[in-house]
Every structure is written in structure tokens, then in C-alpha cells.
Amino acid sequence: MSQSPSNRNGPGLAQIPASHRRKRKVLSCEHCRCSKLKCDRKQPCGACTRRGCELSCSFLVPPSVATTSIHIHPTKSNPSLSNVPSRNTSATPFASLRQPATSCLDDRSERSGPDEIQDSHDSRWEAVLQRPFPEHDPIAATDTLSPFSIGSSISLQDIIEILPSRTSCDCLVSHFFNHISALFPILHGPTFQKQYVAFMQQPYEVDLSWLALLFSMCSLTLNTMEPSDPRLVDLWPAGSHSKEQEAVTLSRQLQQTAMVCLLQDQFFIRHKLSTFEALLMVIYNLSHNESVDQGWALLGMALNIGIALRCNVDSQGLNHLETERRRRCWVGILTLHTYQAILFRDIDMTFLLDIKTTMPADVNDADITKEGISRPSSSPTQMSVMMFKARLFRISTQICHHISGPSRLEIEPLNKFDATIAEEQQRWDSTYLVDGAPNILDSSYAYWCILQTYAHQLYLLLHRPFRHSQSSYFLATSRERCIASSAALLGIHRQIYEVPLLRPYLWLLRGVTSLKALHAAVALNSCLLDMPSSFDSSSYREELNLLVLRIESLSRRSAICLKAHRILLQLQTQFGAENPQLPNSGTRIESTIEDWTDMREWFGPDLFNWNLDNVGNLPAV
């Protein structure tokens, strides 16, 4: 005997006597339900508390809802979501969505005074202006047209199988928190540890955005380790003869899978804190292994997601731990903007200085709990480098705004910013050096070196307009500063490459640090060619030649260094020590790589005219 559709799917709601029907669990209070607001289900709820009507906050089920049967027909889910694990959502009850928008207001108008009616109108206005909540019902989300939802998806099982073995993952995650995290501490270690253990126990219940974070973390960490490291032996095929190439290939595969996870989690329209964390890790990875400009579009998306999640301000209802996690992510995105500001000088980041921001606490992970935060330590913490980078973000943003305007040729701002950078350098000295010497007991000296690269990069940007003797704004001190800072950048690059104490940070030379060294090489050559013939430049030329050799060695695992090496070879040819210097050539240097602060032109060799004469002049047009 055939069954009706309702019998095939179990008894329909209409067939159950009203007295036996199970009452719908109320997920929103009366005020929030009528105003279509997100309710946190506290008593009283946060929305009613903000509106001053906490005394009337009630979760009683109105008779009309308790006795009315509403049958929701099953909706065929989008095939692209069939392999995505389910999530707990807090969507508005279907019943309240189906009712006319004025029903609650009309009913309350009969039993409410003028103040309550006005409060209801204000609440409705607030509801209209409120940003949609990031979490959405998975089925309802499929009705939204997203530019990233087109195309076939990969099953969760196939995604998880791309991950390295449990042993290798443990090694990569441990290495990240021991040697990388302090440079970009957007994660709270103990929280990640719990999430990681939960994933390993129930891998198919994972949040896809968190899985993207894990993939990108493993990709980044793999690039920081030597392929010959015995801890990585399980990652390479038996008898592999090219472990360096295998490492590059696997790292890129892991990074690509991180993006797949974000796409299948529909991060463009659905986002949460794990989405923000994963995007930041992806961009940081790109900056240090591919190119800073490749993360530019993602950086804009991450910024907007961070604002939508209110990571820059403290939200009500969050404990101390969740608040600090958001603050750390926000300062993380500021430091990523620093790369863009100091490497691409035409991008004005000053709008970020106007966004209200609460900085994270300068404490260790263990000092942060849900209940509170311990007093800041007088010693450097796991967050100290990041706090210095946050200060650098503000300084570099102000400097880059200054050098893009007419004030770049004024002496007073030049002296002011010089003094500001010098003050920061003194702070780093007192924090990370021991009586002016490297600390051999921890990674302090590595942090000092990293921060110094920012300072000398900013010195070069500030003094460039004043460094040439044929310029009407020439300052001998600026030329000296450019030479000194260029040499300092090359010296730090060489130390990280050669000094055993800094070996764990060799990976930095495959990204942003080598971009700064390239900038220093171009600036140094420009200044040396402008020096009098009596000036002995042999030591500087030797440093430049050594840089070329280091960059060539690094280019085997770095796309950035591969491109930089080609440019440095051109510089060697055009500005080598053997090139004669002709006196009274007023334009010989001013026209040489006229804008040696525009990093993007260096990475598009076809855009640059390398047909210079033997003294570095551009041919006359």
C-alpha cells in the first residue's frame, strides 16, 4: 500500500493532536523575535539590556506559536555542501520569519504604552541597520549567489588525506609555535592545542576554516625547515633526490588546499574568527614565500572580515580569552599592512590609523584565561615582537604618507621621523641585547635583527630625496645615512644566512627580508656612484657581490629570490666597480633607476629599461 509523503517521512505535524505536540524551543526573547534581532538567549539578553528593557525580556511562548502547526518542507541541499561537515547555527526560528512583520508590533500596541511602542520602533530601525550576523543556516546560504561557490567541490575525506601524517603534523605545528609564532602571534597556543586535539580525535567534525588555518600553518612551517631534517623523512618519496623541490611542491599544495577549504566554507559570505585567522596565515605565508603583492586582494577581504567580526573593538558578551584572540588577529592584520606600506610606497594606509583599536596585552599565552589576564611581565613576552611591530605600523604609515606628499622635501619632518626611528631602535636595544651584545640564551638577537630591517628600510625611504649631490635638496648627511642603512641591511642579511645562532630564521631570507636587501643594494649602488673618486667603496662592493651569491643560493626555494637574483645580476653589470665615473655628469645618477623605492617595477623586468650606458645614464629620448 502506498504511503503519503508525510507517512514516508514520519508523521506530519498536522496529524499530531495539539495537546501532544512538542512545543518549539524558543531561541529568541519576545523583543528580539519581533524585532528580528540576534538574541544571545541570556536572561535578560544582551539586546534587551542595550535597549534598557531588560525587565520585560521574556522567553515565554505566545499561544499563537505554541498551537500553530507549521510544516517546513525539506529542501534539497546543494550538492556542493554534501561533504561539508554540519555546524551549529543560531538562525532565527522559521516561525518568526514566516509571520507578517507587523503582527508582533500590532499585538503589542494594544497592550503597551507609548514608551514601549517607541522602543519597538527604535528596535526595528536598529534591526534594519544591523549588519547581518556572520553565521547563517547552511541550506539557506546555498540560495546566495557567491562568486566562490561555482564549481565542483572536493570531499572532506580527500582534503584530509592531503594533510601529512599525524607524526609530521605534530612536528610542523610544534616547530611553528617554537620558532615562528613569536613573529606573528595571532593564535593563542593553548586554544589551538585543544582545537588540534579535537580535530585529530574527530577529523570529520572539523570546521573547514580552521582546517584551512592548519593547512597554511603546515605550508609555512615546511618552508622554514631544511628538507634534510630527519623529522621530515616521512614527507618525501623513497629514494627522492630532490628534497628541496619536493618541499616547495608540497608547501604550495598545502597552501592551495588551505584556499580550497576557505572556498568550500564560503568564506566570502560566511565568516567567523577561524576564517579571519586562516586568511591572516595565508597572507603571511604568501608574503614570505611568494610575493607581498600576491596577498593584496586577500588582505582587503581580511580587513573587512575583521571589521565585521568587530576584532578592532571589544564586544559585549565575550570572555577575556576570546577578546584577546580577536585583538591579536587585528594587530596581525595591521602588521601585514606594514609590508605593503614600506615596500609599495604609493599605497596610503593612514585610514587604518583612524579605526578605533584596542591593542592586545603584552603577555604570554599562559597568562590569558577566560576569567582574566595576568599583569604584564617586565621581561619580553611571546607578544613583545608583535607589539613593537604594531608601533612600527603606525610609524611606517605616517612616514609613507609623508613621503608621498609635498612635505617629503622639508627638513623638519625629516629630522622628526629620524628621531622617532632612533627612539624605537633604543627600545629594541634595551629589550633584546645584553650590554649591547647578542643574547646567546634565546632568540632575542634574531628578533632584534628582524626589527632593525624595518628601521633601515624606513631610513632609506625618508632620505632618498636628499641623497644625490646634484639635487637642489642634497644633504651630505642623507647620503651618508643611505649608505649606512643599506650596508646595515646587507649585513643583517648576511648574518641571518651565516651565523649558526640565527639559523632557525634562515627562512626569512626567502621573503620580505630579501626584498629589503634588494632595496638596499639598489640604494647603495646609487649612492656609491655619486661619491667622489677618492672614496674607497671596495668593502661595499664586496658586500654587494656576496649578496648576489646568497640570493642565488636562496633562489632554489624562493620565487622572490629567483626574481631578485636576475635584477642583481643586471645591477652588477651596470653598476659594477669596474664602471668608470665621469665627472660633471649632472644627470648620471638622478636618472639611474629614478624610483628605486617602487618594488613592483623591479619584479617586472620588462617594464624597466635596462639599456643604460656605462655610467648608468638612461638613454636620451
Side-chain angles (χ1 to χ4, degrees):
M1 181 170 62
S2 63
Q3 293 180 318
S4 65
S6 60
N7 288 334
R8 284 197 300 267
N9 298 313
L13 290 176
Q15 295 175 314
I16 303 177
S19 60
H20 293 84
R21 292 177 193 147
R22 185 170 57 186
K23 294 182 180 180
R24 176 184 299 276
K25 183 180 179 181
V26 180
L27 299 180
S28 300
C29 74
E30 272 290 275
H31 285 302
C32 292
R33 186 176 65 81
C34 293
S35 301
K36 308 297 187 294
L37 293 178
K38 176 73 177 179
C39 185
D40 58 17
R41 284 174 265 171
K42 295 181 180 179
Q43 185 67 47
C45 74
C48 287
T49 302
R50 289 193 300 272
R51 297 198 301 271
C53 53
E54 56 265 40
L55 296 179
S56 59
C57 180
S58 172
F59 286 78
L60 294 177
V61 182
S64 59
V65 176
T67 60
T68 303
S69 62
I70 299 175
H71 183 70
I72 306 300
H73 293 281
T75 302
K76 185 177 180 181
S77 62
N78 190 316
S80 66
L81 293 178
S82 60
N83 296 310
V84 178
S86 62
R87 291 171 186 76
N88 293 325
T89 59
S90 54
T92 307
F94 284 109
S96 64
L97 292 176
R98 301 273 181 176
Q99 293 175 346
T102 58
S103 61
C104 292
L105 178 60
D106 293 341
D107 177 65
R108 290 181 61 210
S109 298
E110 297 177 1
R111 53 188 169 86
S112 304
D115 291 341
E116 286 190 90
I117 295 175
Q118 180 62 43
D119 177 70
S120 179
H121 281 294
D122 292 343
S123 299
R124 291 169 62 81
W125 195 346
E126 179 182 342
V128 172
L129 298 176
Q130 188 176 15
R131 181 182 296 278
F133 217 70
E135 290 283 358
H136 295 289
D137 181 79
I139 296 177
T142 62
D143 296 330
T144 305
L145 181 60
S146 166
F148 298 113
S149 61
I150 300 172
S152 59
S153 62
I154 304 176
S155 71
L156 182 58
Q157 179 179 351
D158 289 341
I159 290 175
I160 292 177
E161 287 179 355
I162 296 174
L163 269 178
S165 67
R166 170 67 187 269
T167 303
S168 297
C169 276
D170 289 351
C171 171
L172 293 172
V173 170
S174 175
H175 190 90
F176 174 85
F177 281 100
N178 283 323
H179 298 289
I180 305 173
S181 179
L183 302 180
F184 195 59
I186 62 169
L187 304 176
H188 180 251
T191 298
F192 184 88
Q193 166 100 355
K194 293 178 181 178
Q195 295 168 336
Y196 181 76
V197 171
F199 165 67
M200 288 301 176
Q201 292 174 345
Q202 293 181 306
Y204 294 100
E205 298 297 323
V206 69
D207 165 29
L208 277 174
S209 287
W210 183 89
L211 190 56
L213 171 65
L214 178 60
F215 268 105
S216 190
M217 178 189 295
C218 290
S219 170
L220 172 64
T221 307
L222 184 59
N223 267 317
T224 71
M225 302 177 70
E226 293 300 318
S228 58
D229 192 314
R231 294 174 295 174
L232 303 180
V233 66
D234 292 340
L235 296 178
W236 320 126
S240 175
H241 298 291
S242 181
K243 292 180 181 178
E244 284 192 344
Q245 189 55 46
E246 292 279 357
V248 172
T249 301
L250 179 56
S251 176
R252 288 183 175 175
Q253 182 187 24
L254 295 175
Q255 178 78 322
Q256 290 168 354
T257 309
M259 288 305 303
V260 169
C261 291
L262 286 171
L263 291 174
Q264 293 196 187
D265 204 30
Q266 298 188 355
F267 79 103
F268 191 70
I269 55 175
R270 295 169 47 204
H271 39 260
K272 42 199 175 292
L273 184 58
S274 59
T275 312
F276 194 27
E277 291 173 335
L279 270 177
L280 295 180
M281 193 63 66
V282 166
I283 298 167
Y284 187 76
N285 195 350
L286 285 173
S287 298
H288 285 280
N289 292 296
E290 298 296 333
S291 182
V292 175
D293 61 312
Q294 288 191 20
W296 176 239
L298 289 176
L299 189 59
M301 296 177 70
L303 174 64
N304 288 327
I305 289 175
I307 293 173
L309 294 173
R310 297 179 61 80
C311 291
N312 59 306
V313 294
D314 295 341
S315 299
Q316 295 182 354
L318 295 179
N319 58 48
H320 291 279
L321 174 58
E322 292 303 311
T323 297
E324 280 301 301
R325 289 179 64 196
R326 284 159 174 77
R327 290 177 181 176
R328 288 186 174 193
C329 285
W330 185 258
V331 77
I333 204 167
L334 295 183
T335 61
L336 290 175
H337 277 84
T338 305
Y339 297 155
Q340 301 290 335
I342 66 176
L343 295 175
F344 304 138
R345 63 180 177 82
D346 62 338
I347 301 175
D348 190 349
M349 302 291 180
T350 51
F351 73 96
L352 290 172
L353 299 178
D354 298 327
I355 298 178
K356 182 181 178 181
T357 302
T358 304
M359 288 288 109
D362 187 6
V363 297
N364 293 314
D365 284 356
D367 298 328
I368 306 172
T369 64
K370 293 180 180 179
E371 291 72 28
I373 303 172
S374 300
R375 293 178 62 86
S377 171
S378 58
S379 303
T381 70
Q382 292 168 311
M383 282 296 295
S384 294
V385 177
M386 196 67 149
M387 303 307 291
F388 281 128
K389 285 186 175 181
R391 294 175 60 88
L392 276 169
F393 161 75
R394 177 170 293 275
I395 295 170
S396 63
T397 300
Q398 293 170 341
I399 289 176
C400 291
H401 178 72
H402 157 71
I403 64 175
S404 299
S407 65
R408 68 184 183 279
L409 299 176
E410 297 177 6
I411 303 301
E412 183 177 351
L414 175 70
N415 294 334
K416 182 190 74 172
F417 285 123
D418 260 358
T420 300
I421 298 172
E423 288 175 6
E424 290 301 301
Q425 290 178 299
Q426 290 176 359
R427 288 190 177 94
W428 306 336
D429 290 351
S430 61
T431 302
Y432 293 120
L433 299 182
V434 178
D435 297 327
N439 187 343
I440 63 172
L441 301 180
D442 53 31
S443 299
S444 297
Y445 186 57
Y447 303 153
W448 181 87
C449 290
I450 292 164
L451 292 170
Q452 288 292 340
T453 65
Y454 286 89
H456 291 297
Q457 172 80 357
L458 291 174
Y459 279 132
L460 292 179
L461 294 176
L462 274 171
H463 288 271
R464 188 190 74 86
F466 307 94
R467 100 285 180 193
H468 183 241
S469 62
Q470 300 301 316
S471 168
S472 56
Y473 302 100
F474 171 67
L475 293 173
T477 53
S478 286
R479 187 172 62 186
E480 293 170 3
R481 165 49 67 188
C482 285
I483 292 175
S485 287
S486 296
L489 279 169
L490 297 183
I492 292 172
H493 192 279
R494 177 170 51 81
Q495 286 190 68
I496 296 176
Y497 188 87
E498 296 178 353
V499 176
L501 182 64
L502 302 176
R503 190 69 180 177
Y505 300 91
L506 178 66
W507 62 276
L508 290 169
L509 303 187
R510 303 188 189 111
V512 175
T513 305
S514 282
L515 281 178
K516 295 173 184 175
L518 176 60
H519 181 198
V522 178
L524 182 59
N525 267 306
S526 177
C527 292
L528 292 180
L529 288 173
D530 188 46
M531 295 298 290
S533 57
S534 58
F535 180 78
D536 182 10
S537 63
S538 58
S539 61
Y540 299 109
R541 295 294 176 188
E542 182 180 358
E543 280 292 337
L544 289 170
N545 289 330
L546 291 174
L547 174 66
V548 176
L549 296 176
R550 291 196 301 273
I551 294 293
E552 180 182 21
S553 173
L554 294 165
S555 64
R556 289 193 292 270
R557 290 184 63 185
S558 168
I560 291 176
C561 291
L562 182 62
K563 296 176 182 178
H565 182 244
R566 300 190 190 114
I567 298 168
L568 287 171
L569 289 177
Q570 294 281 1
L571 290 176
Q572 265 191 325
T573 301
Q574 300 296 339
F575 308 119
E578 71 278 7
N579 286 346
Q581 294 189 1
L582 300 181
N584 302 322
S585 179
T587 61
R588 72 183 187 274
I589 306 302
E590 196 60 34
S591 58
T592 299
I593 312 184
E594 176 63 24
D595 248 341
W596 45 250
T597 52
D598 192 342
M599 304 291 287
R600 283 170 297 186
E601 280 200 2
W602 303 354
F603 283 84
D606 294 339
L607 300 177
F608 192 88
N609 185 354
W610 290 105
N611 297 317
L612 309 176
D613 61 23
N614 63 345
V615 292
N617 287 331
L618 288 170
V621 179

